Amino acid sequence: MTEKMYYKYWGKAKSDNDSGASYHLLPYHCLDVAAVGWQLLAPDKPLCKQLAKQLKVEPEWLRQFFVFCLALHDLGKFSQAFQSLRQDLSVDLVKANPRMSYSERHDSLGFCLWQEILQTKLDEQLLASDSTDSAVNAWPIQLKSWLEIVTGHHGVPPKTNLRTRNFFEVVDEQAAMAFVQDSVEFFLADFDFQPLLDKALKKRLKPVSWQLAGVAVLADWLGSNQEYFIYYDKPKELKTYWHEIALEKAKEAIGALPKIPDVNAFQTIEKLFPFIQQPTPLQEYAIKEPLTEQPQLFILEDVTGAGKTEAALILTQRLMAHGLADGLYIALPTMATANAMYKRLSNVYHQFYQSGSKPSLILAHGARELSQVFQDSVVLAKQSITDGDYLSGQNEEDQELSATAYCNAWLADSRKKALLADVGVGTLDQALLAVLPARHQSLRLLGLGRKVLLVDEVHAYDSYMQKLLNALLEAHARQGGSVILLSATLPQTMREGLVNAFYKGLGQNAPALSYPAPYPLATHTPATAIEQSIDTREAVKRTVNIQRLNNEEEVIAQIKLAVAAGRCVCWIRNTVKSARQSYQDLLDAGIASNQLSLFHSRFAMIDRQVIENRTLEYFGDNSTPEHRKGQVLIATQVVEQSLDLDFDVMISDLAPIDLIIQRAGRLMRHIRDMQGNRIRQEGAKDLRGRPILYLLSPDPIEGADINWLKPDYAGTQAVYQHIGQLWLTAKLLVRRGQFTMPDDARDLIEGVYSFDAEEKIPDALLDGSIQATSKAMVQKSMADLNVLKLNKGYTRSSGDWDEETRMPTRLTEEETISVALAIVENGQLKPYAQAETYAWALSTVKLPSHEWGKAQQQIPDNLKAMIVTLKAEQKALCWVEILPFEEGQVIYSSSLGFVG
């Protein structure tokens, strides 16, 4: 074999102390990645079929051409600048040019080399050939968009405006060209180039390019795994390496991934949820509603306790069994609600799949490593890889039913991979990153591709996140995904926006929706019957009485009466500062410390976990009279969504109407007797008396002026700035004196959020309301600015690309800072959390920047010096701030959280 120049370039290199060959030749790495792509895009797999269907080409054609493109993904490594990164590998390699600086990544270098040099050379060679086939001669110019996809395999599209002469010698260009020629000859022999000349294919490629970019990222990750792709440094014919090594190793690498399990058909609700004796009307709808053969959107609106989650999971299993999905991702508003859903789903998700399979369940959010349940599942996964079984000593069926969660370790090592799991639970943020110009977003979008996207509490997001969610629905519908959205309270304008976004992804005109719409309501589209009025179960039909309280003294008096009667109470405050103060005021008023607890967002993770678990134990579904008696929880918004909590008495600061309805959903949520014992018999009535929601609010007088909420309710106005909506909420509730669910739900929502309702806001409050409306418009504009321009395709100009840590999925009034709490012990800084693993992470609390600024000023100089030393020793702490405190300093406590 005449040795080609491209055998003088390395593609992967080991550190000095690794055994075996010290480097892997570049052409071999290129073939490794292409071989993984060959396996991923098997024509009989749903992924290849779906992509080919969108492109309107044959699956075999797509596989052959895209694998060729993958072989060219690392053309940039033929650069002398890149090769100079390791000059110690071998004298057989190309001599590096030390004058060439590696100042641009090889992914961009490869794309620019193609654009500036290689395409022209290949064109000239084809024109000089004997072929008279115009397609054979003209196809290279159509390769630009495809190479933009594969050269962007590090998660960001390549730059397109680099001067290659600054990075490539002539010999580099010749070596790269030789590799391109041989790749064309090897991969594209007898290939039909005609589809590439179709301008319509180029247009269809743009929306599909995002998923193909995900395939490129995944192929490069797997093709770089030394466990399978051992380094080879001796020249071997490409054809020989491909057949004897690359394809076989790619098969092994793919075989080690979690298998897509076979889906179970939905049988009965009792099979999925043994605790359900009688389906709710919404669950009956989920069981019987006819499905169509295309991606579908469901919006389920019903009262708290109507079984929305179970109904959504029934629909999910049916959609999966219908061949429309292989898995599920549940997106929730907070990490706390995601943790709770993860525990809840771990008992159910196995039923989606056939016996003997091992579907993976992944928790996906920024602090998932701190969830013990998740960590336990990772341990189980690692044991399963080693031992073959993930619960030894049991037969396969028992293992499937007994394991709380099976989590494949490969999927668990990065949140970027988490959406590739069969079933994922996490915050909505992890899914929204799929439509933001954040590194590796394409992998997230690919992971969502064959999944049902289930978004809970869909009303809970601000204008910025709503806009991003609309973009996500559009992208998901375009790639053939179905969506289920859950809400207790959804304004009409929001419902229309969600439907329009989904239909935009389908490339169709959205249907008209009824107004006013009935409630409860199931919206299913595309479908024969788009909107169906749903009854709700008798147990959650109830009237909640409203009693307004003028001031905090009245609230404290009401709490003392409830505690004396042995009732459990929750007071939801709108700010952390007011929650802390009320906690202290209740202690001063004589409430015993063992009867009082505080729950807000400024606790260190280790304390927050304890508080969250205690809250669920004392006030959750299985709470006992012994736990509940005379207990008081002072909380912020952390308890108003998705947590299954039940209080005898609910007191709420004034908030927008949808949040008041949410908070009221935690009032006498479960059926209990007078002592607080759970009653589970069908048809039973709650014996605790009339549910009363106490509303801390000023009188919503007609002549309210701009100071209506000030000074006593300034915190409320700071959080909920649309003062007109607050006034409308108070006016509605106080005037009615009660509301009945579900009958009044739609009137309440539209009575605050409709255009007609806004006309009733007093003139003096309009300025503040207009400012809030303007702010919402600014948030939408920010979302429009940040969100990917998906119609442009996978290209650098589709967004302002950055690392995901700097890509906001939420907008906040003020930047928050991650601060690790440290205690001073024997002249050293130790993590506040006493834990064997993740001690520093468990010691972390998020603080508003102004709070951190004040605390930082109080750190003595000697402790600042210790912080510098600590960060030098603990590299992971470079990304967080450190707040040390000594004994006697009241900066932080496990009962109050951060106090400053």
Side-chain angles (χ1 to χ4, degrees):
M1 179 186 79
T2 303
E3 186 174 313
K4 300 290 182 75
M5 272 297 297
Y6 51 70
Y7 288 115
K8 293 186 176 294
Y9 291 78
W10 62 271
K12 294 286 180 180
K14 292 181 180 179
S15 58
D16 293 336
N17 56 357
D18 286 341
S19 59
S22 60
Y23 61 90
H24 195 43
L25 286 174
L26 177 55
Y28 298 160
H29 171 64
C30 291
L31 294 188
D32 294 340
V33 173
V36 172
W38 182 265
Q39 299 293 339
L40 291 174
L41 291 177
D44 59 334
K45 289 185 177 180
L47 173 61
C48 190
K49 288 181 179 179
Q50 174 67 29
L51 294 173
K53 181 180 178 181
Q54 290 178 265
L55 290 169
K56 296 184 179 180
V57 297
E58 292 300 319
E60 293 80 4
W61 186 97
L62 173 61
R63 182 203 218 182
Q64 185 177 359
F65 187 67
F66 194 68
V67 166
F68 159 72
C69 294
L70 282 174
L72 307 186
H73 80 284
D74 259 352
L75 285 175
K77 289 185 178 179
F78 282 105
S79 157
Q80 290 271 351
F82 176 83
Q83 293 295 310
S84 296
L85 293 176
R86 290 294 299 271
Q87 302 180 33
D88 58 335
L89 296 176
S90 173
V91 295
D92 296 329
L93 297 175
V94 66
K95 299 297 183 292
N97 183 346
R99 295 190 303 276
M100 284 189 170
S101 172
Y102 185 61
S103 56
E104 296 289 349
R105 289 184 57 89
H106 66 271
D107 40 11
S108 294
L109 294 180
F111 181 72
C112 291
L113 178 66
W114 170 261
Q115 272 194 306
E116 192 175 330
I117 305 294
L118 301 183
Q119 179 196 307
T120 302
K121 287 190 174 183
L122 190 58
D123 280 336
E124 292 171 352
Q125 289 185 3
L126 291 174
L127 288 173
S129 68
D130 296 333
S131 175
T132 58
D133 188 336
S134 60
V136 171
N137 294 333
W139 69 268
I141 198 172
Q142 307 301 328
L143 197 56
K144 175 185 174 183
S145 297
W146 296 86
L147 284 189
E148 204 164 8
I149 294 169
V150 296
T151 55
H153 59 275
H154 284 288
V156 175
K159 295 179 181 179
T160 59
N161 57 350
L162 304 179
R163 288 183 56 83
T164 58
R165 292 299 183 194
N166 295 331
F167 305 95
F168 294 87
E169 295 276 15
V170 172
V171 67
D172 303 333
E173 297 169 4
Q174 292 172 344
M177 187 62 202
F179 181 69
V180 170
Q181 288 175 302
D182 286 357
S183 296
V184 170
E185 183 179 336
F186 178 56
F187 286 106
L188 300 182
D190 302 322
F191 180 70
D192 180 11
F193 293 97
Q194 195 63 45
L196 287 173
L197 305 188
D198 183 0
K199 292 182 179 179
L201 176 63
K202 185 177 181 180
K203 186 176 181 180
R204 291 192 294 268
L205 177 62
K206 289 182 178 180
V208 180
S209 64
W210 302 97
Q211 290 165 277
L212 286 171
V215 173
V217 171
L218 187 56
D220 185 61
W221 278 6
L222 296 173
S224 301
N225 188 340
Q226 294 180 47
E227 183 177 349
Y228 300 99
F229 297 98
I230 301 169
Y231 286 3
Y232 285 88
D233 56 6
K234 298 294 187 290
K236 185 189 295 280
E237 283 192 9
L238 297 184
K239 182 178 181 180
T240 303
Y241 182 86
W242 173 261
H243 288 292
E244 294 183 358
I245 299 174
L247 282 179
E248 293 303 314
K249 293 301 179 181
K251 190 181 299 183
E252 290 180 26
I254 295 294
L257 294 179
K259 306 295 187 295
I260 296 177
D262 294 325
V263 174
N264 258 342
F266 175 77
Q267 297 173 355
T268 65
I269 193 169
E270 293 83 10
K271 178 74 173 174
L272 203 55
F273 306 105
F275 59 87
I276 295 180
Q277 299 174 2
Q278 178 67 38
T280 68
L282 185 63
Q283 291 163 358
E284 286 281 5
Y285 165 85
I287 294 169
K288 297 176 180 178
E289 171 68 3
L291 301 179
T292 62
E293 300 299 324
Q294 58 187 314
Q296 291 153 79
L297 169 68
F298 287 89
I299 304 177
L300 307 183
E301 299 175 78
D302 206 341
V303 298
T304 300
K308 292 190 291 293
T309 300
E310 290 79 10
L313 293 177
I314 291 167
L315 284 171
T316 296
Q317 187 173 9
R318 292 186 60 213
L319 287 166
M320 290 166 61
H322 209 63
L324 294 168
D326 298 323
L328 164 71
Y329 182 75
I330 304 183
L332 295 122
T334 65
M335 289 188 289
T337 54
N339 290 341
M341 182 61 74
Y342 182 78
K343 295 177 185 177
R344 188 174 174 185
L345 198 63
S346 64
N347 297 319
V348 177
Y349 80 106
H350 280 98
Q351 298 299 330
F352 292 172
Y353 301 97
Q354 292 185 11
S355 176
S357 62
K358 292 182 180 179
S360 52
L361 172 65
I362 296 289
L363 181 63
H365 63 62
R368 66 186 185 147
E369 289 81 5
L370 309 184
S371 165
Q372 191 58 50
V373 177
F374 175 69
Q375 287 303 321
D376 290 346
S377 73
V378 176
V379 171
L380 282 174
K382 290 179 178 177
Q383 290 174 347
S384 75
I385 293 171
T386 303
D387 304 329
D389 286 331
Y390 60 106
L391 283 179
S392 59
Q394 300 177 1
N395 63 47
E396 197 168 60
E397 184 174 353
D398 289 341
Q399 289 174 17
E400 177 193 278
L401 298 176
S402 300
T404 55
Y406 175 78
C407 169
N408 183 275
W410 182 84
L411 293 168
D413 73 1
S414 170
R415 290 195 305 277
K416 294 172 181 178
K417 299 176 187 173
L419 299 187
L420 294 167
D422 301 308
V423 181
V425 180
T427 55
L428 178 60
D429 308 69
Q430 297 301 321
L432 293 181
L433 283 167
V435 291
L436 286 168
R439 186 177 296 278
H440 295 127
Q441 61 73 224
S442 59
L443 198 66
R444 295 175 185 273
L445 197 61
L446 178 69
L448 285 172
R450 286 284 300 172
K451 289 186 176 59
V452 175
L453 174 62
L454 198 169
V455 184
D456 198 7
E457 309 286 4
V458 73
H459 61 277
Y461 305 104
D462 63 17
S463 298
Y464 178 80
M465 294 186 76
Q466 282 288 343
K467 195 77 174 180
L468 296 185
L469 177 58
N470 287 352
L472 179 63
L473 298 192
E474 178 188 340
H476 196 51
R478 184 177 288 128
Q479 64 180 0
S482 293
V483 177
I484 303 173
L485 306 175
L486 307 182
S487 177
T489 51
L490 197 62
Q492 177 76 4
T493 53
M494 194 177 295
R495 189 166 68 102
E496 289 177 345
L498 294 165
V499 172
N500 288 339
F502 190 79
Y503 266 83
K504 188 176 179 182
L506 294 179
Q508 304 173 21
N509 293 323
L513 301 179
S514 59
Y515 181 80
Y519 183 90
L521 179 69
T523 304
H524 175 203
T525 186
T528 304
I530 294 175
E531 296 170 303
Q532 293 189 46
S533 176
I534 305 290
D535 195 8
T536 199
R537 66 188 182 100
E538 289 297 322
V540 294
K541 292 180 179 178
R542 61 176 184 160
T543 297
V544 175
N545 294 275
I546 304 296
Q547 184 171 328
R548 187 178 68 84
L549 301 177
N550 282 294
N551 51 55
E552 294 178 17
E553 289 76 17
E554 291 185 12
V555 174
I556 291 173
Q558 199 63 241
I559 291 175
K560 292 177 71 175
L561 287 173
V563 171
R567 312 190 83 194
C568 65
V569 184
C570 179
W571 182 5
I572 300 182
R573 308 240 52 190
N574 289 333
T575 68
V576 173
K577 181 179 179 181
S578 59
R580 277 199 309 254
Q581 185 60 54
S582 296
Y583 178 86
Q584 187 60 52
D585 291 344
L586 284 166
L587 286 174
D588 295 342
I591 303 295
S593 60
N594 63 352
Q595 291 181 284
L596 188 60
S597 52
L598 180 63
F599 189 10
H600 58 68
S601 59
R602 290 183 206 162
F603 281 98
M605 285 301 301
I606 192 166
D607 293 329
R608 180 161 177 163
Q609 288 181 353
V610 171
I611 294 167
E612 185 179 317
N613 291 334
R614 183 184 185 278
T615 300
L616 289 167
E617 180 184 6
Y618 275 58
F619 309 109
D621 188 13
N622 297 315
S623 58
T624 63
E626 293 74 24
H627 282 137
R628 301 170 63 83
K629 185 176 180 180
Q631 287 290 320
V632 180
L633 175 68
I634 308 298
T636 57
Q637 295 87 339
V638 292
V639 300
E640 74 184 13
Q641 297 167 17
S642 296
L643 293 179
D644 189 8
L645 303 175
D646 172 18
F647 300 94
D648 302 328
V649 177
M650 173 62 70
I651 303 166
S652 173
D653 288 1
L654 178 61
I657 187 66
D658 51 329
L659 302 185
I660 294 295
I661 294 173
Q662 284 289 112
R663 295 173 185 187
R666 274 75 192 150
L667 170 61
M668 297 188 185
R669 181 185 180 99
H670 307 133
I671 305 299
R672 298 180 185 272
D673 64 18
M674 283 293 293
Q675 289 72 41
N677 292 294
R678 192 76 163 85
I679 306 174
R680 300 187 183 275
Q681 287 80 12
E682 190 65 32
K685 300 292 184 181
D686 198 290
L687 304 178
R688 289 176 285 180
R690 295 186 310 159
I692 301 175
L693 176 71
Y694 295 94
L695 184 67
L696 176 58
S697 167
D699 189 4
I701 57 176
E702 291 295 340
D705 60 23
I706 196 64
N707 295 314
W708 177 61
L709 287 173
K710 294 179 178 179
D712 295 339
Y713 304 89
T716 291
Q717 186 169 344
V719 175
Y720 304 112
Q721 297 177 7
H722 199 307
I723 190 172
Q725 290 179 353
L726 293 175
W727 183 88
L728 287 169
T729 297
K731 184 75 175 175
L732 266 177
L733 295 176
V734 172
R735 186 190 72 217
R736 287 170 173 257
Q738 63 181 37
F739 61 84
T740 299
M741 296 296 284
D743 301 5
D744 295 336
R746 194 69 78 190
D747 288 342
L748 290 172
I749 295 298
E750 298 304 324
V752 172
Y753 289 112
S754 69
F755 294 119
D756 291 340
E758 289 188 357
E759 294 180 357
K760 300 175 183 178
I761 298 172
D763 291 343
L765 301 183
L766 282 177
D767 284 345
S769 301
I770 290 171
Q771 288 177 14
T773 302
S774 299
K775 177 184 172 183
M777 294 176 66
V778 170
Q779 289 181 336
K780 290 179 181 179
S781 298
M782 283 295 295
D784 285 334
L785 185 66
N786 287 344
V787 76
L788 281 167
K789 311 304 182 285
L790 294 169
N791 60 323
K792 287 189 174 183
Y794 191 72
T795 182
R796 180 69 69 145
S797 62
S798 58
D800 188 10
W801 291 84
D802 207 337
E803 300 300 321
E804 67 175 50
T805 54
R806 294 192 288 269
M807 192 56 57
T809 54
R810 302 173 188 244
L811 294 183
T812 57
E813 288 298 307
E814 184 177 8
E815 182 185 4
T816 57
I817 309 293
S818 292
V819 178
L821 303 175
I823 57 175
V824 183
E825 187 178 287
N826 298 325
Q828 290 186 307
L829 295 181
K830 302 288 186 181
Y832 163 78
Q834 296 181 8
E836 291 184 9
T837 57
Y838 301 108
W840 282 111
L842 287 166
S843 302
T844 301
V845 60
K846 285 191 176 291
L847 300 179
S849 57
H850 79 277
E851 293 269 13
W852 165 242
K854 292 177 184 178
Q856 192 178 33
Q857 292 175 9
Q858 300 175 32
I859 302 174
D861 289 341
N862 66 311
L863 294 185
K864 289 180 179 177
M866 292 171 66
I867 291 172
V868 173
T869 302
L870 176 65
K871 286 194 171 188
E873 294 172 351
Q874 303 267 353
K875 298 301 182 185
L877 295 179
C878 291
W879 307 105
V880 298
E881 300 292 348
I882 307 294
L883 178 59
F885 60 99
E886 299 178 276
E887 190 174 349
Q889 282 186 289
V890 190
I891 292 177
Y892 180 89
S893 76
S894 59
S895 58
L896 292 176
F898 179 81
V899 295

